[in-house]
Amino acid sequence: MVFRRGQRVEVFRKSSDEGWESYMDEYVGAHGIITDPDTSINDPDQLVEVSLEGKGTHRLPQDCLRPLVE
Amino acid sequence: MPDSICPVTALIRQLEETLHAGRMANPWNRRIIEEILDLLKDVAWGRAGADHLPAIKELAGSLRDEPLSTAGVETRRQVLAALAEHDEVFRSHVATHNCATRDCVKLAPAPCQMACPAGIDVPTYVSLIGLGRDAEAIEVIRRDNPFPWVCGLVCTRPCEFMCVRGRIDTPVSIKFLKAFAAERALSERRYKNPPQEPDKGQKVCVIGAGPGGLSAAYYLALKGYAVRVIEALPVSGGMIMVGIPRYRLPREVIDREVAMLQELGVEFRFNTRFGSDVTLADLKAEGFAAFFFAIGCHSAYKMGMPGEGDFPQVLDAIDILKRVALGDRTVPGKKAVIIGGGNVAIDAARTCLRLGSEEVTIAYRRTRSEMPADEEEVEQAEEEGVRLAFLTIPTGLTGVAGRLTGLQCLRAELVRKEGSSRMSPVPIADSDFVMAADVVIGAIGQRVDNSCMTGLQGLEWTRRSTIQVNMVTMETSIPGIFAAGDAVTGPATVIEAIGGGKRAADSIDRHLCGIPQPKMPPVPVRRGRVEYFEIPASTKMVLKRPEMPLLNIDRRRTTYQQVELGYSENDVREEARRCLRCDICLRCGKCVEVCRDKMGVNALQLGYFDFDHPVKTDFRITAERCITCGACAANCPTGAMQIEDREGERILSLCGTILNRQKLLFCDKCGATLGPARYLDFIRKKTGAVGPVSTDRRICDACARKESAKVNVDIMPV
């Protein structure tokens, strides 16, 4: 999935990526907005910045995110 | 206790339940629990001080055994266990005045503040700007971000993406308001550093003078540490100085804000490369007790095309941006092709135009909608004459006698590959063509140049070749060495680096003071609760986000003058009035529910409450239907919705937005306030069946009782 800036997403699962930390477990189910996608080459392996509603802005692996239907 | 409930709120509920259920027979214990509840409510409402938590512990310890039950022992254990288990959360409530779970409703942080990686208290500073108190706004911002002017020009503004006003029309222009306030405060000489803590007698070394390093240096200096910043470049600012072109961020802006650090005593050593000019052992020998690495991502990925190494006209975008930032004005070539679709590609293209390239083209493998660069930046680049070649895959380079003449390319189409939701560009057979070019600039990403850190034994790296840290404390695998910024996150944003630097400064302070490190990311701190200004609902709805005036196109194509010229003062003050004050209204929807479901009036059309499914909002509708009964205000848990009688009117307002104002009627006999006519009509309709009003006179209940009592006495002789 290529995430765009401003796209609404859901953290739908934990990630096994090393960028996932245990405190992020509580973000599963949270909705948010992509605020900084991979800014150079749309690399699916890069972490992307997501603002989660009520839970702050975090850089998360892309495999735990899915777009919300708008 | 479920994790999702705030432990402070949960403990309050448990103690209230204990009292109401009558489990506590001993009057002493009941009084002690009431006192504990008072103190806990102070914590939950942002009124607690440093003595509150020790006092709660002491009170809990004084709970006595109940004669016939274990309630006293259990409650004591319950309170002490909650305080011990969630010590960090309780202390955070006292220190930050924010409750991240939003269970303590008066402490629910605004979405914009939660979204900011540095946790800046956005509603407070936007309100101060609206009131014309720019210097105070800058003070608020600098509690969490030492570079308000820089961020006012180049921040990626996650706050605006989460801005609730965006669910009504467009987000508040938070970024540009910040830039205005910083510029005004500096111009008026009212941009000041806060007082420093007393000298702690310890030294910290910061490696890298980019936003992360400078942020850490600032907060460490404020905490009383002697800070030295080591920088390989001859200037400070890191990527904001050598990666962001001057037409977006003038050098003076960086210099003025960095000078504020020098005023705090931060020492800078430029042209000093860690690992070669100075080593960890040298610095330790000088007495540095902790180290913070923010070395950024200054190495470009190679494109991996045949011929890449054969032509000197094949360049890296970040190299060219760096050279230009340091004063080089050599024209890279007449026909420049930039490969990539991110902000760096756009910056390189616009820089080439300004240097004098006649044709500048960006070649990107996908389409405009997949382009990761800022939409505004792309639009501005196109206005200036940069051409965009989408679905173009570079495959090689052509040239004559060591001189580049073109970029070989293939046309592509986007195809969904099996097992992937990602659309990938696939070359179209026999579609190859050559794009004329005498310079090709790669902008396909950056990585950490870790050559300077090879001497750090035991330092762990991620598979992305970034420094492995604990993201809560920013501590690396080597005790006493911390890191943040792009070197940790990969190429990211200025505000993330600033937030990481601030977090690291706090952790370094704890490390050096022997205080345990936190286990969870910090909760942003509420820096104030500014009074809201009154604004009519119609004004609130019709105010629009102002357009940013831009430099004329000829100058944009030829000079490095700042493109975005900034808002006028009037625009700034008006824009700040669009803020919905989400630091006070937490959009729980109780007002809407009670008005619609209990009162049956349905006067509140506040469609912005729902994050996922916002519907239409119109503050003006309220005045058409509202009876000013006050049920919404009575049920508002935060005081955002208010109703008051003032100067002969009943006024309903939501965070200062006047939703309705109705003329008050008064008792014909005693002059007591009766309420607005619409409210009285509503009541009359509801109570009409009980007994008709005998006259047209408007009188209060007390006078009505007196009159009817008199009538009854007259007609019903005892």
Side-chain angles (χ1 to χ4, degrees):
Chain A
M1 185 65 218
V2 179
F3 291 106
R4 282 180 292 105
R5 201 152 184 254
Q7 191 171 19
R8 285 168 180 267
V9 294
E10 179 188 19
V11 184
F12 74 102
R13 65 176 183 199
K14 292 183 194 176
S15 171
S16 54
D17 188 282
E18 62 185 347
W20 184 270
E21 302 214 14
S22 57
Y23 70 82
M24 295 172 177
D25 289 357
E26 68 166 285
Y27 303 157
V28 176
H31 291 186
I33 295 178
I34 299 281
T35 47
D36 188 37
D38 162 37
T39 48
S40 41
I41 49 173
N42 288 327
D43 180 356
D45 206 29
Q46 289 298 319
L47 306 178
V48 294
E49 189 190 67
V50 193
S51 268
L52 296 175
E53 205 210 1
K55 300 198 181 294
T57 297
H58 308 274
R59 208 157 266 278
L60 301 178
Q62 295 181 46
D63 64 350
C64 66
L65 301 172
R66 67 179 171 203
L68 286 170
V69 179
E70 287 174 40
Chain B
M1 193 182 295
D3 286 344
S4 54
I5 297 179
C6 167
V8 180
T9 298
L11 188 56
I12 289 172
R13 286 183 193 160
Q14 283 167 353
L15 294 182
E16 281 177 342
E17 207 260 320
T18 302
L19 276 185
H20 295 153
R23 276 186 223 125
M24 214 59 85
N26 188 333
W28 166 270
N29 280 350
R30 285 205 301 274
R31 189 173 65 78
I32 293 294
I33 291 178
E34 278 166 3
E35 285 180 16
I36 293 175
L37 272 171
D38 284 345
L39 293 174
L40 282 173
K41 282 177 184 168
D42 283 348
V43 174
W45 288 11
R47 297 185 305 220
D51 298 337
H52 272 63
L53 298 181
I56 293 170
K57 263 185 205 165
E58 199 179 320
L59 283 169
S62 71
L63 282 167
R64 294 174 184 169
D65 292 352
E66 288 283 310
L68 297 172
S69 77
T70 58
V73 185
E74 271 175 24
T75 307
R76 184 168 61 217
R77 186 199 56 74
Q78 203 173 43
V79 175
L80 293 176
L83 289 175
E85 192 181 343
H86 303 285
D87 176 53
E88 211 169 291
V89 179
F90 278 86
R91 281 193 286 111
S92 166
H93 274 61
V94 176
T96 68
H97 294 180
N98 266 342
C99 169
T101 65
R102 295 155 50 103
D103 287 326
C104 302
V105 288
K106 291 218 169 182
L107 304 187
C112 48
Q113 184 177 14
M114 280 301 282
C116 177
I120 307 174
D121 186 351
V122 178
T124 297
Y125 84 74
V126 166
S127 302
L128 287 168
I129 292 171
L131 292 164
R133 291 152 64 181
D134 300 314
E136 283 173 68
I138 291 305
E139 268 175 44
V140 167
I141 297 168
R142 295 188 85 232
R143 304 280 295 272
D144 300 295
N145 171 0
F147 305 108
W149 200 3
V150 167
C151 285
L153 299 179
V154 300
C155 185
T156 47
R157 51 182 194 262
C159 52
E160 290 188 24
F161 281 98
M162 296 304 276
C163 175
V164 177
R165 179 78 201 211
R167 301 180 205 165
I168 299 177
D169 42 29
T170 48
V172 175
S173 187
I174 298 168
K175 182 177 99 163
F176 295 131
L177 295 188
K178 186 160 49 209
F180 175 90
E183 194 176 320
R184 177 59 60 92
L186 262 169
S187 145
E188 291 179 344
R189 307 283 188 268
R190 294 173 65 204
Y191 187 122
K192 308 273 185 209
N193 277 324
Q196 285 174 275
E197 287 176 27
D199 184 5
K200 285 206 167 75
Q202 285 180 296
K203 297 203 293 184
V204 180
C205 186
V206 171
I207 294 96
L214 293 174
S215 167
Y218 174 78
Y219 291 108
L220 286 166
L222 286 183
K223 285 174 192 293
Y225 293 99
V227 184
R228 180 187 295 171
V229 180
I230 289 172
E231 171 57 54
L233 291 166
V235 287
S236 56
M239 266 299 176
I240 56 174
M241 181 64 91
V242 298
I244 297 177
R246 296 290 72 85
Y247 60 84
R248 284 176 59 202
L249 178 61
R251 177 175 178 156
E252 296 74 19
V253 174
I254 304 168
D255 288 345
R256 288 298 294 267
E257 292 202 314
V258 172
M260 302 300 289
L261 270 71
Q262 287 168 318
E263 195 182 285
L264 291 173
V266 174
E267 177 198 358
F268 286 86
R269 294 270 174 96
F270 296 115
N271 298 308
T272 307
R273 181 174 285 276
F274 180 82
S276 50
D277 298 324
V278 65
T279 64
L280 191 67
D282 299 337
L283 293 167
K284 278 186 175 169
E286 277 194 65
F288 286 99
F291 300 87
F292 175 67
F293 284 84
I295 57 170
C297 273
H298 288 264
S299 272
Y301 280 117
K302 294 289 169 205
M303 292 178 285
M305 278 190 298
E308 192 172 347
D310 301 340
F311 302 104
Q313 297 82 24
V314 179
L315 307 170
D316 296 327
I318 52 165
D319 276 345
I320 207 164
L321 291 173
K322 188 189 293 179
R323 273 178 15 208
V324 172
L326 296 176
D328 184 1
R329 292 290 183 269
T330 313
V331 186
K334 284 187 178 173
K335 291 180 181 174
V337 177
I338 292 92
I339 298 171
N343 284 333
V344 176
I346 301 286
D347 287 341
R350 296 176 74 185
T351 297
C352 285
L353 268 186
R354 283 160 174 79
L355 288 171
S357 297
E358 289 168 10
E359 266 181 42
V360 181
T361 308
I362 291 176
Y364 180 53
R365 301 155 70 92
R366 293 184 171 84
T367 64
R368 186 187 294 268
S369 59
E370 283 87 28
M371 223 172 162
D374 274 6
E375 220 172 291
E376 286 167 16
E377 302 288 328
V378 177
E379 280 170 12
Q380 290 184 10
E382 283 185 294
E383 281 169 12
E384 289 166 11
V386 173
R387 290 170 48 204
L388 301 174
F390 294 113
L391 293 167
T392 301
I393 302 178
T395 54
L397 299 148
T398 56
V400 178
R403 179 136 204 102
L404 186 76
T405 56
L407 177 70
Q408 294 170 344
C409 302
L410 278 171
R411 298 257 175 252
E413 58 184 345
L414 287 184
V415 172
R416 195 180 302 279
K417 287 189 174 168
E418 204 178 323
S420 167
S421 58
R422 183 178 161 86
M423 297 286 276
S424 301
V426 174
I428 299 169
D430 301 325
S431 66
D432 45 331
F433 66 100
V434 175
M435 201 181 273
D438 48 19
V439 60
V440 167
I441 299 167
I444 59 163
Q446 296 116 257
R447 60 185 174 79
V448 182
D449 176 4
N450 60 7
S451 59
C452 67
M453 298 179 73
T454 48
L456 292 180
Q457 298 297 317
L459 186 73
E460 289 177 10
W461 295 81
T462 69
R463 68 186 177 87
R464 298 181 176 86
S465 301
T466 53
I467 302 171
Q468 176 82 53
V469 299
N470 171 336
M471 287 301 284
V472 174
T473 64
M474 312 313 289
E475 189 162 19
T476 67
S477 51
I478 305 175
I481 295 188
F482 298 77
D486 287 359
V488 166
T489 56
T493 61
V494 174
I495 192 67
E496 266 185 280
I498 288 171
K502 187 180 78 161
R503 211 179 307 170
D506 186 49
S507 300
I508 290 169
D509 182 40
R510 286 172 182 241
H511 171 78
L512 294 176
C513 294
I515 301 169
Q517 296 288 0
K519 298 279 179 275
M520 59 181 205
V523 174
V525 182
R526 190 184 291 250
R527 302 296 181 188
R529 189 183 275 255
V530 180
E531 69 275 23
Y532 31 67
F533 20 75
E534 285 197 347
I535 176 169
S538 55
T539 310
K540 194 83 167 185
M541 288 305 295
V542 299
L543 279 175
K544 295 283 174 262
R545 181 178 166 121
E547 287 284 319
M548 173 56 68
L550 301 179
L551 189 71
N552 78 55
I553 197 74
D554 297 324
R555 288 200 184 164
R556 279 165 58 185
R557 289 165 56 87
T558 50
T559 72
Y560 282 87
Q561 288 179 35
Q562 196 175 345
V563 170
E564 291 176 336
L565 300 176
Y567 288 158
S568 68
E569 175 160 7
N570 188 53
D571 281 347
V572 165
R573 309 296 178 217
E574 291 291 90
E575 180 61 3
R577 279 149 55 96
R578 291 177 65 236
C579 175
L580 298 174
R581 295 303 303 270
C582 302
D583 57 330
I584 296 171
C585 171
L586 71 152
R587 301 163 310 287
C588 63
K590 282 186 181 150
C591 53
V592 177
E593 275 171 30
V594 76
C595 181
R596 184 189 57 213
D597 303 337
K598 302 283 184 203
M599 301 304 297
V601 177
N602 198 17
L604 296 168
Q605 192 173 310
L606 307 176
Y608 62 91
F609 281 7
D610 194 291
F611 176 79
D612 286 329
H613 307 289
V615 289
K616 194 181 173 201
T617 294
D618 194 342
F619 294 120
R620 295 165 296 195
I621 296 287
T622 307
E624 294 171 11
R625 303 179 190 161
C626 170
I627 57 166
T628 55
C629 65
C632 51
N635 284 279
C636 176
T638 64
M641 189 72 85
Q642 293 194 345
I643 195 155
E644 62 171 331
D645 292 348
R646 196 170 68 201
E647 294 168 6
E649 288 183 316
R650 179 159 293 173
I651 298 169
L652 177 74
S653 62
L654 173 61
C655 295
T657 303
I658 297 176
L659 301 175
N660 193 12
R661 58 165 79 223
Q662 298 275 316
K663 237 180 190 7
L664 284 168
L665 299 176
F666 300 94
C667 174
D668 290 344
K669 285 193 73 139
C670 70
T673 303
L674 293 175
R678 204 187 280 177
Y679 170 70
L680 296 175
D681 290 345
F682 178 85
I683 298 295
R684 191 176 298 137
K685 257 188 223 165
K686 293 282 179 193
T687 58
V690 178
V693 178
S694 56
T695 69
D696 288 336
R697 293 167 67 207
R698 292 193 182 275
I699 51 175
C700 66
D701 288 347
C703 291
R705 269 198 298 275
K706 274 185 206 162
E707 287 217 336
S708 70
K710 184 170 172 282
V711 170
N712 288 343
V713 169
D714 288 348
I715 62 169
M716 294 176 68
V718 180

